[in-house]
Amino acid sequence: MRRLLLALPFALLPLADAYAAQAHEHDHDHEHNEEHGSLEAHEHGVGRLNAALDGQTLELELQSPAMNLVGFEHQATTDADKARVAAARAALEKPLALFSLPAAAGCVATSQALESPLFGDKPDAEDDHEATSKGEHHHDHSEIHAHYHFTCSTPAALKSLDLANIFNTFPATQKIQVQLIGPSGQQGVEVTAKAAALKF
């Protein structure tokens, strides 16, 4: 199931340098961007989406700083914060609405996984390493990861992917860097609220 997305970073490695350079230009406070120099750079307002369409299988993996989706990155302690986390999670649990997949494609979500320290998940080993080397740094940079697997009965009808609902639902998201593999090959695209659709 994850074979497509696991191969994606290697297939699009040349694009990583271009995105890292862009992230560098916009980097203000996040010195760890310089260390990582990759698509994994944590930049407020910027999300990342890996998309792979292979036959009838569509996989989407959205990664975003929690700031973009809930407005903060600390553990939710107040009722208001907990409500924002719950609302973001509820929106992420409706991928067909979030990604505006064409009804004609007949896509059905067969599995989904949401991960974030804000959802009570433990940090990745990578985050633990960062926390060890920089104190409690990972709490200041919480991420939310959403992974979706769809089966589409008519994949030929899936000619585009519209991300407008992500921008509408999470207005703090200013742009999404997309790495896409589809029938027409691979591409790296940056989408914004004003130009939120991309073609497979």
Side-chain angles (χ1 to χ4, degrees), residues 93-102 106-109 112 148 150 165:
E93 287 174 343
K94 297 175 186 159
L96 288 173
L98 205 57
F99 292 101
S100 302
L101 299 175
C107 296
V108 176
Q112 62 185 34
Y148 307 100
F150 301 88
N165 282 346

Side-chain angles (χ1 to χ4, degrees), residues 100-179:
S100 302
L101 299 175
C107 296
V108 176
T110 53
S111 69
Q112 62 185 34
L114 303 177
E115 297 175 10
S116 175
L118 298 185
F119 299 152
D121 297 325
K122 292 181 181 177
D124 293 338
E126 203 173 280
D127 291 335
D128 285 338
H129 170 73
E130 190 173 305
T132 304
S133 62
K134 296 188 177 185
E136 291 301 307
H137 188 70
H138 69 282
H139 287 301
D140 299 334
H141 297 290
S142 294
E143 294 257 334
I144 294 176
H145 294 201
H147 182 213
Y148 307 100
H149 182 99
F150 301 88
T151 299
C152 302
S153 59
T154 314
L158 194 59
K159 298 188 184 309
S160 66
L161 185 62
D162 188 349
L163 305 182
N165 282 346
I166 294 177
F167 293 104
N168 294 336
T169 306
F170 305 112
T173 301
Q174 298 163 6
K175 61 185 175 181
I176 300 173
Q177 296 172 342
V178 182
Q179 294 182 24

Side-chain angles (χ1 to χ4, degrees), residues 19 22 45-51 62-63 68 98-99 160-168 170-180 187-200:
Y19 281 134
Q22 284 178 348
V46 180
R48 295 177 304 283
L49 177 69
N50 293 327
L62 179 67
Q63 300 176 344
N68 299 354
L98 205 57
F99 292 101
S160 66
L161 185 62
D162 188 349
L163 305 182
N165 282 346
I166 294 177
F167 293 104
N168 294 336
F170 305 112
T173 301
Q174 298 163 6
K175 61 185 175 181
I176 300 173
Q177 296 172 342
V178 182
Q179 294 182 24
L180 184 145
Q187 58 179 311
V189 184
E190 188 170 275
V191 296
T192 63
K194 292 180 181 178
L198 54 109
K199 293 182 179 179
F200 273 102

Side-chain angles (χ1 to χ4, degrees), residues 28-106:
H28 50 286
D29 298 320
H30 303 293
E31 293 175 9
H32 64 285
N33 283 359
E34 292 174 18
E35 292 174 19
H36 296 297
S38 72
L39 285 173
E40 298 303 313
H42 180 102
E43 185 180 354
H44 294 173
V46 180
R48 295 177 304 283
L49 177 69
N50 293 327
L53 177 61
D54 183 23
Q56 293 185 312
T57 300
L58 172 66
E59 289 194 65
L60 300 174
E61 187 175 40
L62 179 67
Q63 300 176 344
S64 176
M67 181 67 75
N68 299 354
L69 307 187
V70 298
F72 57 86
E73 297 192 335
H74 55 268
Q75 284 297 325
T77 53
T78 68
D79 288 343
D81 284 357
K82 288 176 184 176
R84 291 175 90 168
V85 170
R89 184 170 195 150
L92 291 167
E93 287 174 343
K94 297 175 186 159
L96 288 173
L98 205 57
F99 292 101
S100 302
L101 299 175

